[in-house]
Amino acid sequence: MLDVLFAGEVFCDLVFGGIPHLPAPGTEVYADRFAVSPGGTANRAVAAARLGLRTGILGVIGTDLFGEHLAARLAAERNLDPTWLRRDPAVHTPVTVAVTQEHDRAFLTYEEKGALRPEVWEGELPAVRFLQLGIGRPLPAWAAEFRARGTRVVGGVGWDPTGQWSRDLLTRLAEVDVFVCNAVEATSYTRTGTVEEAVKVLADHVPDVVVTDGGNGAVAVDGTTGELVRVAVPRVPAVDPTGAGDVFTAGLITGLNHDWPLATRLRFAGLCAALSVQNLGGANSAPRWEAIDAFLERTPRIPEADLIRIRAIKP
């Protein structure tokens, strides 16, 4: 059985860091750091695998240079099963150029239709405890089949390039068990002014909802009690925020997999996300247990009960 299967688009990220500003048309700006990293759904999959979850990834990449690099990188990750990562010679592997500064980033992406999340499942469905996928468009039939078999479905969403933030998304929340998004996405889809207001609206549509709020931490509603919970995120020097939300999601699912209380899940997910921003590249910077251990040793403010839970799952 897999602990979690991540389904979605897989990118090869070319990450430029340490730039003073974005280049204006006709000018050139030099970066002082560069990395090639798996991106998109791979951010979450690599992060979960490094946290010790038995992880699978479903997506489509090409057989080109970028696809070869991604396939080799993902196959080398312990606990990550690439069985469902399809290779299509007719598809150009999606590529994103990420230009990052300390607190923000900008992206330039090339993606073909054939590299989108597969709508048809080929072969038998594996046994899976958690399925994570985007709900920005209608969910495929196989997602409902997973859920009917007892898999808990964790929904996410990304930036809406149309700027419409269609409220159709709220109707799709009935098809998932947990919804995770960031503050801009939450307030835009709910037409609210604050994260707290947005969380309450979303909680009317899905049992468990978590909204990440950058340096302000995360806000969630306890699906059992209806309590609003906000947990702060550790303050760390930031190099590249790319993929921090993906790492947060992987940490949150780790906590769900171990049946932790909501505040513990949020605290651990925020810790993992904070560690990830200290290096370049989304999947590349997903923390390993050595980094988590070191952080816990030098951070006395984490509640003792949380420390016990976190240390108990170390592989």
Side-chain angles (χ1 to χ4, degrees):
M1 173 180 281
L2 292 176
D3 291 318
V4 57
L5 173 69
F6 293 95
E9 290 72 47
V10 180
F11 294 84
C12 186
D13 286 353
L14 311 179
V15 189
F16 295 78
I19 65 167
H21 54 81
L22 292 176
T27 68
E28 184 175 18
V29 172
Y30 283 83
D32 61 20
R33 290 182 291 276
F34 174 74
V36 180
S37 174
T41 299
N43 291 337
R44 300 184 287 279
V46 169
R50 291 182 179 179
L51 293 175
L53 298 187
R54 294 162 295 183
T55 304
I57 182 169
L58 170 70
V60 180
I61 58 176
T63 56
D64 50 23
L65 177 66
F66 297 111
E68 291 296 329
H69 175 77
L70 288 178
R73 279 280 285 104
L74 296 175
E77 286 288 341
R78 187 168 174 259
N79 299 320
L80 179 53
D81 187 344
T83 296
W84 301 276
L85 184 63
R86 302 179 189 175
R87 307 292 305 280
D88 186 344
V91 170
H92 191 296
T93 300
V95 178
T96 289
V97 175
V99 182
T100 73
Q101 296 171 296
E102 182 180 356
H103 299 295
D104 209 349
R105 66 272 194 232
F107 303 108
L108 178 64
T109 294
Y110 177 76
E111 180 183 23
E112 297 178 351
K113 186 176 181 180
L116 297 178
R117 180 187 66 208
E119 294 299 306
V120 177
W121 188 279
E122 297 177 357
E124 294 293 322
L125 296 181
V128 177
R129 294 196 69 192
F130 293 91
L131 166 66
Q132 195 283 328
L133 76 171
I135 63 170
R137 63 180 189 272
L139 275 63
W142 50 259
E145 189 174 347
F146 268 115
R147 197 179 188 204
R149 295 184 179 196
T151 298
R152 294 186 68 185
V153 180
V154 181
V157 72
W159 175 258
D160 181 2
T162 70
Q164 295 179 358
W165 306 100
S166 171
R167 291 179 68 86
D168 289 348
L169 178 124
L170 300 183
T171 66
R172 287 194 286 275
L173 291 176
E175 302 176 56
V176 304
D177 304 286
V178 184
F179 181 56
V180 185
C181 64
N182 66 33
V184 171
E185 295 155 356
T187 54
S188 297
Y189 280 115
T190 59
R191 313 300 197 263
T192 53
T194 68
V195 171
E196 285 77 11
E197 291 172 330
V199 168
K200 290 177 182 178
V201 172
L202 293 169
D204 290 335
H205 299 271
V206 63
D208 288 290
V209 57
V210 177
V211 177
T212 60
D213 194 15
N216 298 317
V219 182
V221 171
D222 190 313
T224 304
T225 65
E227 178 188 6
L228 189 73
V229 177
R230 179 183 276 276
V231 172
V233 67
R235 298 287 182 175
V236 298
V239 171
D240 176 16
T242 303
D246 296 315
V247 174
F248 181 98
T249 297
L252 187 77
I253 293 174
T254 301
L256 285 166
N257 191 56
H258 293 286
D259 296 319
W260 289 344
L262 176 59
T264 307
R265 300 197 300 264
L266 296 178
R267 203 166 283 117
F268 181 70
L271 181 161
C272 293
L275 291 176
S276 76
V277 305
Q278 298 180 93
N279 295 290
L280 209 60
N284 285 359
S285 64
R288 302 181 188 273
W289 274 99
E290 294 84 355
I292 294 171
D293 276 342
F295 183 85
L296 294 176
E297 287 295 328
R298 65 178 186 267
T299 308
R301 285 180 245 166
I302 295 178
E304 184 65 25
D306 287 354
L307 286 174
I308 292 172
R309 293 185 183 103
I310 293 169
R311 286 174 170 150
I313 70 166
K314 179 182 175 181

PDB file of all heavy atoms in Angstrom, residues 8-33:
ATOM      1  N   GLY A   8      -0.585  14.908 -10.985  1.00  0.00           N
ATOM      2  CA  GLY A   8      -0.623  16.244 -11.570  1.00  0.00           C
ATOM      3  C   GLY A   8       0.478  16.446 -12.579  1.00  0.00           C
ATOM      4  O   GLY A   8       1.067  15.488 -13.085  1.00  0.00           O
ATOM      5  N   GLU A   9       0.770  17.694 -12.871  1.00  0.00           N
ATOM      6  CA  GLU A   9       1.783  18.020 -13.865  1.00  0.00           C
ATOM      7  C   GLU A   9       3.174  18.024 -13.230  1.00  0.00           C
ATOM      8  O   GLU A   9       3.349  18.534 -12.124  1.00  0.00           O
ATOM      9  CB  GLU A   9       1.496  19.386 -14.491  1.00  0.00           C
ATOM     10  CG  GLU A   9       0.271  19.410 -15.398  1.00  0.00           C
ATOM     11  CD  GLU A   9      -1.045  19.320 -14.641  1.00  0.00           C
ATOM     12  OE1 GLU A   9      -1.203  20.053 -13.644  1.00  0.00           O
ATOM     13  OE2 GLU A   9      -1.901  18.496 -15.022  1.00  0.00           O
ATOM     14  N   VAL A  10       4.127  17.451 -13.957  1.00  0.00           N
ATOM     15  CA  VAL A  10       5.512  17.362 -13.483  1.00  0.00           C
ATOM     16  C   VAL A  10       6.384  18.239 -14.384  1.00  0.00           C
ATOM     17  O   VAL A  10       6.359  18.093 -15.611  1.00  0.00           O
ATOM     18  CB  VAL A  10       6.012  15.910 -13.500  1.00  0.00           C
ATOM     19  CG1 VAL A  10       7.459  15.834 -13.016  1.00  0.00           C
ATOM     20  CG2 VAL A  10       5.112  15.024 -12.638  1.00  0.00           C
ATOM     21  N   PHE A  11       7.149  19.124 -13.781  1.00  0.00           N
ATOM     22  CA  PHE A  11       7.964  20.088 -14.518  1.00  0.00           C
ATOM     23  C   PHE A  11       9.444  19.866 -14.277  1.00  0.00           C
ATOM     24  O   PHE A  11       9.847  19.331 -13.237  1.00  0.00           O
ATOM     25  CB  PHE A  11       7.620  21.518 -14.080  1.00  0.00           C
ATOM     26  CG  PHE A  11       6.229  21.953 -14.427  1.00  0.00           C
ATOM     27  CD1 PHE A  11       5.156  21.636 -13.596  1.00  0.00           C
ATOM     28  CD2 PHE A  11       5.989  22.681 -15.577  1.00  0.00           C
ATOM     29  CE1 PHE A  11       3.862  22.035 -13.915  1.00  0.00           C
ATOM     30  CE2 PHE A  11       4.699  23.093 -15.903  1.00  0.00           C
ATOM     31  CZ  PHE A  11       3.635  22.763 -15.067  1.00  0.00           C
ATOM     32  N   CYS A  12      10.232  20.315 -15.216  1.00  0.00           N
ATOM     33  CA  CYS A  12      11.659  20.488 -14.990  1.00  0.00           C
ATOM     34  C   CYS A  12      11.867  21.976 -14.734  1.00  0.00           C
ATOM     35  O   CYS A  12      11.608  22.806 -15.613  1.00  0.00           O
ATOM     36  CB  CYS A  12      12.478  20.019 -16.187  1.00  0.00           C
ATOM     37  SG  CYS A  12      14.266  20.063 -15.892  1.00  0.00           S
ATOM     38  N   ASP A  13      12.280  22.319 -13.520  1.00  0.00           N
ATOM     39  CA  ASP A  13      12.443  23.717 -13.135  1.00  0.00           C
ATOM     40  C   ASP A  13      13.888  24.165 -13.331  1.00  0.00           C
ATOM     41  O   ASP A  13      14.826  23.513 -12.850  1.00  0.00           O
ATOM     42  CB  ASP A  13      12.066  23.914 -11.665  1.00  0.00           C
ATOM     43  CG  ASP A  13      10.568  23.863 -11.434  1.00  0.00           C
ATOM     44  OD1 ASP A  13       9.809  23.802 -12.423  1.00  0.00           O
ATOM     45  OD2 ASP A  13      10.156  23.887 -10.253  1.00  0.00           O
ATOM     46  N   LEU A  14      14.060  25.272 -14.025  1.00  0.00           N
ATOM     47  CA  LEU A  14      15.357  25.938 -14.147  1.00  0.00           C
ATOM     48  C   LEU A  14      15.281  27.173 -13.259  1.00  0.00           C
ATOM     49  O   LEU A  14      14.534  28.109 -13.553  1.00  0.00           O
ATOM     50  CB  LEU A  14      15.636  26.330 -15.603  1.00  0.00           C
ATOM     51  CG  LEU A  14      15.431  25.231 -16.656  1.00  0.00           C
ATOM     52  CD1 LEU A  14      15.728  25.771 -18.054  1.00  0.00           C
ATOM     53  CD2 LEU A  14      16.308  24.021 -16.356  1.00  0.00           C
ATOM     54  N   VAL A  15      16.008  27.150 -12.150  1.00  0.00           N
ATOM     55  CA  VAL A  15      15.817  28.150 -11.098  1.00  0.00           C
ATOM     56  C   VAL A  15      17.012  29.102 -11.039  1.00  0.00           C
ATOM     57  O   VAL A  15      18.154  28.669 -10.856  1.00  0.00           O
ATOM     58  CB  VAL A  15      15.632  27.483  -9.725  1.00  0.00           C
ATOM     59  CG1 VAL A  15      15.227  28.521  -8.683  1.00  0.00           C
ATOM     60  CG2 VAL A  15      14.579  26.371  -9.799  1.00  0.00           C
ATOM     61  N   PHE A  16      16.731  30.389 -11.190  1.00  0.00           N
ATOM     62  CA  PHE A  16      17.753  31.430 -11.081  1.00  0.00           C
ATOM     63  C   PHE A  16      17.506  32.199  -9.785  1.00  0.00           C
ATOM     64  O   PHE A  16      16.401  32.707  -9.567  1.00  0.00           O
ATOM     65  CB  PHE A  16      17.674  32.384 -12.264  1.00  0.00           C
ATOM     66  CG  PHE A  16      17.987  31.741 -13.594  1.00  0.00           C
ATOM     67  CD1 PHE A  16      17.040  30.957 -14.255  1.00  0.00           C
ATOM     68  CD2 PHE A  16      19.231  31.895 -14.183  1.00  0.00           C
ATOM     69  CE1 PHE A  16      17.321  30.352 -15.472  1.00  0.00           C
ATOM     70  CE2 PHE A  16      19.531  31.297 -15.401  1.00  0.00           C
ATOM     71  CZ  PHE A  16      18.574  30.517 -16.044  1.00  0.00           C
ATOM     72  N   GLY A  17      18.505  32.270  -8.931  1.00  0.00           N
ATOM     73  CA  GLY A  17      18.319  32.914  -7.637  1.00  0.00           C
ATOM     74  C   GLY A  17      19.287  34.053  -7.392  1.00  0.00           C
ATOM     75  O   GLY A  17      20.313  34.195  -8.064  1.00  0.00           O
ATOM     76  N   GLY A  18      18.948  34.860  -6.379  1.00  0.00           N
ATOM     77  CA  GLY A  18      19.827  35.935  -5.958  1.00  0.00           C
ATOM     78  C   GLY A  18      19.896  37.104  -6.904  1.00  0.00           C
ATOM     79  O   GLY A  18      20.902  37.818  -6.962  1.00  0.00           O
ATOM     80  N   ILE A  19      18.830  37.352  -7.655  1.00  0.00           N
ATOM     81  CA  ILE A  19      18.846  38.487  -8.590  1.00  0.00           C
ATOM     82  C   ILE A  19      18.420  39.758  -7.853  1.00  0.00           C
ATOM     83  O   ILE A  19      17.607  39.713  -6.919  1.00  0.00           O
ATOM     84  CB  ILE A  19      17.924  38.254  -9.795  1.00  0.00           C
ATOM     85  CG1 ILE A  19      16.454  38.166  -9.356  1.00  0.00           C
ATOM     86  CG2 ILE A  19      18.321  36.991 -10.539  1.00  0.00           C
ATOM     87  CD1 ILE A  19      15.494  38.244 -10.505  1.00  0.00           C
ATOM     88  N   PRO A  20      18.950  40.915  -8.239  1.00  0.00           N
ATOM     89  CA  PRO A  20      18.565  42.156  -7.557  1.00  0.00           C
ATOM     90  C   PRO A  20      17.149  42.602  -7.912  1.00  0.00           C
ATOM     91  O   PRO A  20      16.466  43.227  -7.109  1.00  0.00           O
ATOM     92  CB  PRO A  20      19.605  43.170  -8.056  1.00  0.00           C
ATOM     93  CG  PRO A  20      20.063  42.628  -9.380  1.00  0.00           C
ATOM     94  CD  PRO A  20      20.005  41.138  -9.245  1.00  0.00           C
ATOM     95  N   HIS A  21      16.717  42.295  -9.152  1.00  0.00           N
ATOM     96  CA  HIS A  21      15.379  42.672  -9.607  1.00  0.00           C
ATOM     97  C   HIS A  21      15.107  41.928 -10.908  1.00  0.00           C
ATOM     98  O   HIS A  21      16.027  41.406 -11.555  1.00  0.00           O
ATOM     99  CB  HIS A  21      15.265  44.191  -9.828  1.00  0.00           C
ATOM    100  CG  HIS A  21      16.320  44.725 -10.753  1.00  0.00           C
ATOM    101  ND1 HIS A  21      16.222  44.632 -12.137  1.00  0.00           N
ATOM    102  CD2 HIS A  21      17.506  45.330 -10.513  1.00  0.00           C
ATOM    103  CE1 HIS A  21      17.285  45.171 -12.696  1.00  0.00           C
ATOM    104  NE2 HIS A  21      18.086  45.595 -11.736  1.00  0.00           N
ATOM    105  N   LEU A  22      13.848  41.872 -11.289  1.00  0.00           N
ATOM    106  CA  LEU A  22      13.495  41.255 -12.561  1.00  0.00           C
ATOM    107  C   LEU A  22      13.975  42.134 -13.714  1.00  0.00           C
ATOM    108  O   LEU A  22      13.938  43.364 -13.616  1.00  0.00           O
ATOM    109  CB  LEU A  22      11.983  41.057 -12.655  1.00  0.00           C
ATOM    110  CG  LEU A  22      11.364  40.023 -11.716  1.00  0.00           C
ATOM    111  CD1 LEU A  22       9.848  40.032 -11.865  1.00  0.00           C
ATOM    112  CD2 LEU A  22      11.914  38.635 -12.004  1.00  0.00           C
ATOM    113  N   PRO A  23      14.424  41.543 -14.809  1.00  0.00           N
ATOM    114  CA  PRO A  23      14.926  42.357 -15.924  1.00  0.00           C
ATOM    115  C   PRO A  23      13.798  43.102 -16.643  1.00  0.00           C
ATOM    116  O   PRO A  23      12.720  42.563 -16.857  1.00  0.00           O
ATOM    117  CB  PRO A  23      15.570  41.321 -16.846  1.00  0.00           C
ATOM    118  CG  PRO A  23      14.887  40.023 -16.508  1.00  0.00           C
ATOM    119  CD  PRO A  23      14.568  40.092 -15.057  1.00  0.00           C
ATOM    120  N   ALA A  24      14.061  44.334 -16.998  1.00  0.00           N
ATOM    121  CA  ALA A  24      13.133  45.106 -17.834  1.00  0.00           C
ATOM    122  C   ALA A  24      13.356  44.698 -19.286  1.00  0.00           C
ATOM    123  O   ALA A  24      14.412  44.163 -19.638  1.00  0.00           O
ATOM    124  CB  ALA A  24      13.385  46.598 -17.645  1.00  0.00           C
ATOM    125  N   PRO A  25      12.354  44.893 -20.151  1.00  0.00           N
ATOM    126  CA  PRO A  25      12.531  44.541 -21.565  1.00  0.00           C
ATOM    127  C   PRO A  25      13.795  45.160 -22.152  1.00  0.00           C
ATOM    128  O   PRO A  25      14.086  46.346 -21.939  1.00  0.00           O
ATOM    129  CB  PRO A  25      11.269  45.117 -22.222  1.00  0.00           C
ATOM    130  CG  PRO A  25      10.245  45.113 -21.132  1.00  0.00           C
ATOM    131  CD  PRO A  25      11.004  45.422 -19.877  1.00  0.00           C
ATOM    132  N   GLY A  26      14.568  44.337 -22.862  1.00  0.00           N
ATOM    133  CA  GLY A  26      15.771  44.817 -23.509  1.00  0.00           C
ATOM    134  C   GLY A  26      16.999  44.881 -22.620  1.00  0.00           C
ATOM    135  O   GLY A  26      18.054  45.333 -23.059  1.00  0.00           O
ATOM    136  N   THR A  27      16.870  44.405 -21.357  1.00  0.00           N
ATOM    137  CA  THR A  27      18.008  44.445 -20.431  1.00  0.00           C
ATOM    138  C   THR A  27      18.370  43.036 -19.986  1.00  0.00           C
ATOM    139  O   THR A  27      17.647  42.069 -20.272  1.00  0.00           O
ATOM    140  CB  THR A  27      17.694  45.294 -19.192  1.00  0.00           C
ATOM    141  OG1 THR A  27      16.683  44.628 -18.403  1.00  0.00           O
ATOM    142  CG2 THR A  27      17.192  46.671 -19.588  1.00  0.00           C
ATOM    143  N   GLU A  28      19.461  42.923 -19.275  1.00  0.00           N
ATOM    144  CA  GLU A  28      19.929  41.627 -18.783  1.00  0.00           C
ATOM    145  C   GLU A  28      20.292  41.744 -17.304  1.00  0.00           C
ATOM    146  O   GLU A  28      20.902  42.735 -16.875  1.00  0.00           O
ATOM    147  CB  GLU A  28      21.152  41.177 -19.584  1.00  0.00           C
ATOM    148  CG  GLU A  28      21.670  39.801 -19.220  1.00  0.00           C
ATOM    149  CD  GLU A  28      22.802  39.350 -20.125  1.00  0.00           C
ATOM    150  OE1 GLU A  28      23.406  40.236 -20.788  1.00  0.00           O
ATOM    151  OE2 GLU A  28      23.080  38.147 -20.174  1.00  0.00           O
ATOM    152  N   VAL A  29      19.888  40.739 -16.525  1.00  0.00           N
ATOM    153  CA  VAL A  29      20.206  40.693 -15.098  1.00  0.00           C
ATOM    154  C   VAL A  29      20.903  39.370 -14.818  1.00  0.00           C
ATOM    155  O   VAL A  29      20.483  38.325 -15.325  1.00  0.00           O
ATOM    156  CB  VAL A  29      18.930  40.823 -14.236  1.00  0.00           C
ATOM    157  CG1 VAL A  29      19.237  40.583 -12.768  1.00  0.00           C
ATOM    158  CG2 VAL A  29      18.296  42.196 -14.429  1.00  0.00           C
ATOM    159  N   TYR A  30      21.942  39.393 -13.999  1.00  0.00           N
ATOM    160  CA  TYR A  30      22.682  38.174 -13.675  1.00  0.00           C
ATOM    161  C   TYR A  30      22.246  37.607 -12.324  1.00  0.00           C
ATOM    162  O   TYR A  30      22.092  38.346 -11.341  1.00  0.00           O
ATOM    163  CB  TYR A  30      24.187  38.450 -13.649  1.00  0.00           C
ATOM    164  CG  TYR A  30      24.796  38.545 -15.028  1.00  0.00           C
ATOM    165  CD1 TYR A  30      24.742  39.744 -15.740  1.00  0.00           C
ATOM    166  CD2 TYR A  30      25.390  37.444 -15.627  1.00  0.00           C
ATOM    167  CE1 TYR A  30      25.283  39.842 -17.015  1.00  0.00           C
ATOM    168  CE2 TYR A  30      25.935  37.529 -16.899  1.00  0.00           C
ATOM    169  CZ  TYR A  30      25.880  38.730 -17.587  1.00  0.00           C
ATOM    170  OH  TYR A  30      26.415  38.817 -18.851  1.00  0.00           O
ATOM    171  N   ALA A  31      22.047  36.288 -12.299  1.00  0.00           N
ATOM    172  CA  ALA A  31      21.776  35.581 -11.050  1.00  0.00           C
ATOM    173  C   ALA A  31      23.097  35.159 -10.416  1.00  0.00           C
ATOM    174  O   ALA A  31      24.109  35.015 -11.109  1.00  0.00           O
ATOM    175  CB  ALA A  31      20.911  34.353 -11.317  1.00  0.00           C
ATOM    176  N   ASP A  32      23.087  34.953  -9.101  1.00  0.00           N
ATOM    177  CA  ASP A  32      24.299  34.447  -8.462  1.00  0.00           C
ATOM    178  C   ASP A  32      24.154  32.994  -8.008  1.00  0.00           C
ATOM    179  O   ASP A  32      25.081  32.423  -7.438  1.00  0.00           O
ATOM    180  CB  ASP A  32      24.726  35.336  -7.290  1.00  0.00           C
ATOM    181  CG  ASP A  32      23.682  35.420  -6.183  1.00  0.00           C
ATOM    182  OD1 ASP A  32      22.799  34.540  -6.112  1.00  0.00           O
ATOM    183  OD2 ASP A  32      23.759  36.369  -5.383  1.00  0.00           O
ATOM    184  N   ARG A  33      22.967  32.397  -8.304  1.00  0.00           N
ATOM    185  CA  ARG A  33      22.762  30.981  -8.001  1.00  0.00           C
ATOM    186  C   ARG A  33      21.896  30.365  -9.095  1.00  0.00           C
ATOM    187  O   ARG A  33      21.052  31.054  -9.687  1.00  0.00           O
ATOM    188  CB  ARG A  33      22.066  30.794  -6.640  1.00  0.00           C
ATOM    189  CG  ARG A  33      22.936  31.154  -5.456  1.00  0.00           C
ATOM    190  CD  ARG A  33      22.222  30.916  -4.136  1.00  0.00           C
ATOM    191  NE  ARG A  33      21.116  31.855  -3.936  1.00  0.00           N
ATOM    192  CZ  ARG A  33      21.273  33.076  -3.433  1.00  0.00           C
ATOM    193  NH1 ARG A  33      22.464  33.515  -3.101  1.00  0.00           N
ATOM    194  NH2 ARG A  33      20.231  33.866  -3.254  1.00  0.00           N
TER     195      ARG A  33
END
